[in-house]
Amino acid sequence: MDIKKLQTLVVDALEDVKGQDIAVFETSHLTSLFDRIAIVSGTSNRQTKALAASVRNKVKDAGGDIIGMEGEDTGEWVLVDLGDMIVHIMQAPIRAYYRLEEIWGDKPVKLGAAKRAPKKAAGDEPKKVSGHLAASKANVDATPVIEKKAPAKKATAATAAKKAPAKKATASKAVGKTVKVAPTKTETAAVKALKALPEKKVRAPRAAKPAADAAPAKTVIKRIKKVEA
């Protein structure tokens, strides 16, 4: 089987079971035993076993050869030997401890463009324009409209501005003048009636009554002695 077809089958099988951090490296320049090595992480023993089974079944169905499988009992590190390609399925702590990338990873292999193409961000997609929203409609270049004011209104405003100080002057002149108001008919009639009345005679003042608190006048009685005969 072609090595490129084999590595495509392996990557597809690993992605079907949601393998994490899939990496493929070329090793033909390091050893003659195999041409490719694939490394993938699993979150649990069950997932590592499922990843190994998926690779085995996918390659078998495509007519490839399965040389052997190791580590299925524990599930911490499962190795699938495909002849020209070796697949290491490891849990994250085991992968971080052994660091196989530092041994075999000097020539990484770029996977298919469809598999490695970055997903478009939500902001990169053009937004759909809604027809019923006025804000989303395309802006139409509007021609500016020049409003012409009537000259007659300007003239009236100017004349009104000129007349304003004249009114102020007249108002200032009116200050300080006394205005005589003619008496009404009722007021004149009342004044005539008062003049026609006879003058009242002035009476002499009465003598003041003695006050109640004043002390009564004392009467002196003198006794006359009888002359004996």
Side-chain angles (χ1 to χ4, degrees), residues 186-205:
T186 55
E187 290 178 353
T188 51
V191 172
K192 288 181 181 180
L194 289 173
K195 289 181 179 180
L197 291 174
E199 294 182 359
K200 293 182 178 180
K201 295 180 179 180
V202 180
R203 295 181 181 180

Side-chain angles (χ1 to χ4, degrees), residues 15 38 40-41 46 55-56 70 99 111 121 149 176 189 193 197:
E15 287 182 346
V40 64
S41 297
R46 182 178 296 178
V55 171
R56 180 189 59 200
E70 297 178 5
R99 299 180 182 178
L111 301 180
K149 295 183 180 179
L197 291 174

Side-chain angles (χ1 to χ4, degrees), residues 136-204:
S136 61
K137 292 182 180 179
N139 295 328
V140 181
D141 295 336
T143 56
V145 178
I146 301 172
E147 295 182 358
K148 294 183 179 180
K149 295 183 180 179
K153 292 183 179 180
K154 289 184 179 180
T156 53
T159 52
K162 290 179 180 179
K163 290 179 181 179
K167 290 182 179 179
K168 290 181 180 179
T170 53
S172 61
K173 289 180 181 179
V175 175
K177 288 185 178 182
T178 56
V179 180
K180 293 182 179 181
V181 180
T184 59
K185 293 181 179 180
T186 55
E187 290 178 353
T188 51
V191 172
K192 288 181 181 180
L194 289 173
K195 289 181 179 180
L197 291 174
E199 294 182 359
K200 293 182 178 180
K201 295 180 179 180
V202 180
R203 295 181 181 180

Side-chain angles (χ1 to χ4, degrees), residues 207-217:
K209 294 181 179 180
D213 297 336

